[in-house]
Amino acid sequence: NHLLVIDDLGKSYEARRRGAAEGTASALSGVSFTADPGEFITVIGPSGAGKSTLLRSINRLIEPTEGTITFDGRDITHLGRGKLREVHREIAMIFQNYNLVYRLTAIQNVLHGRLGYKNALAGSLGLYTEEEKLRTFELLDEVGLGEFAYRRADQLSGGQKQRVGIARSLMQEPKIMLCDEPIASLDPKSSRMVMETLQRLTRQRGITCIVNLHQVDFALEYSDRIIGLRAGQKVFEGTPDEATPQV
Ligand code: ADP
Ligand code: ADP
């Protein structure tokens, strides 16, 4: 029983302008793979290959038009909003642009993930129980940011911001983490720290990570398995060793 089973997945977006000759274009088509607890999977491919469409389908930010997504034994392909809520607690998503509230501190951003924007904006850490604060410190520590807990998000480097985002998503205790180009804006050193942080979560917590990248070198270095997409189709799946002759 796999944690995630993607079967023949496809997505066609409606043409943006009606009357355009293109009609509906297929952004993703016939993609199948599985993922297990603790696996570190990277998805590589050029811009427009469908990487983001794939992750956003799994997270059900968008609804696939073909195929099925089974998460933890449950078909979530067409789940409605209410039922998606339960599933969303277990599926975390990380984006390229961090999505932090910049005038709040690191610790407030992480608490915000759990307690809601309004409470975080109220700003006073007094709103939170000692247990919540302790737990937040532990998470920031886990991503290597214990000493930056009280620093405002806008004073952190890009890599640190991304790790705050990761800590925030850990608040929900996800089984799987979907990361859409998490290091695309980062320098190599920060990228490495983010990739190492994600890898640690797979090894120590058994979280499954699926990470979209356009940097092949990082995929080769960190993945257990690499999935190659091109023009919406899976063109490769294998270990870094198997990928090396092809890239
Ligand atoms: P990427 O970072 O994958 O290259 P873009 O920067 O092209 O993606 O797209 C940014 C946003 O615009 C995304 O939310 C994407 O879904 C949306 N988008 C991309 N292409 C189109 C399109 N042809 N029509 C409508 N929205 C699009
Ligand atoms: P990648 O993440 O690999 O860059 P995407 O999944 O963003 O690829 O895009 C795959 C294809 O789908 C591209 O042709 C893109 O323009 C198109 N696309 C993405 N989002 C939208 C959207 N919201 N509406 C229409 N087309 C989109």
Side-chain angles (χ1 to χ4, degrees), residues 52-162:
S52 180
T53 298
L54 173 64
L55 287 200
R56 293 191 299 144
S57 296
I58 297 171
N59 194 36
R60 284 299 321 284
L61 285 170
I62 57 179
E63 189 171 0
T65 47
E66 293 160 47
T68 55
I69 302 168
T70 310
F71 174 73
D72 215 4
R74 186 172 185 185
D75 184 345
I76 64 165
T77 323
H78 304 288
L79 273 195
R81 275 180 154 236
K83 296 202 163 146
L84 261 183
R85 282 184 155 216
E86 304 161 20
V87 176
H88 270 156
R89 294 205 39 220
E90 305 197 317
I91 304 181
M93 186 119 181
I94 298 283
F95 298 92
Q96 176 178 351
N97 61 5
Y98 325 123
N99 288 337
L100 300 182
V101 181
Y102 286 122
R103 64 187 186 82
L104 299 182
T105 60
I107 190 172
Q108 285 172 320
N109 268 283
V110 177
L111 284 163
H112 151 208
R114 178 167 168 75
L115 300 175
Y117 187 62
K118 249 201 222 153
N119 285 335
L121 274 188
S124 159
L125 288 172
L127 278 176
Y128 306 109
T129 66
E130 285 307 311
E131 195 192 328
E132 284 163 337
K133 281 191 272 185
L134 186 63
R135 169 124 182 76
T136 308
F137 269 117
E138 283 168 3
L139 292 178
L140 284 168
D141 226 18
E142 190 172 341
V143 300
L145 292 176
E147 60 188 301
F148 296 104
Y150 287 100
R151 189 165 292 192
R152 265 173 61 142
D154 56 9
Q155 319 253 313
L156 298 171
S157 74
Q160 291 168 339
K161 286 181 184 125
Q162 192 55 285

Side-chain angles (χ1 to χ4, degrees), residues 169-213:
S169 72
L170 288 176
M171 272 301 225
Q172 68 192 73
E173 300 191 353
K175 289 191 172 148
I176 188 165
M177 230 158 166
L178 308 172
C179 308
D180 196 1
E181 299 278 2
I183 59 174
S185 311
L186 303 179
D187 61 61
K189 185 161 171 263
S190 302
S191 296
R192 212 162 274 289
M193 292 193 73
V194 168
M195 292 300 282
E196 277 163 17
T197 300
L198 291 172
Q199 193 180 49
R200 196 149 14 94
L201 299 178
T202 64
R203 301 291 180 262
Q204 292 178 0
R205 285 177 174 250
I207 293 176
T208 304
C209 281
I210 305 183
V211 183
N212 283 356
L213 295 176

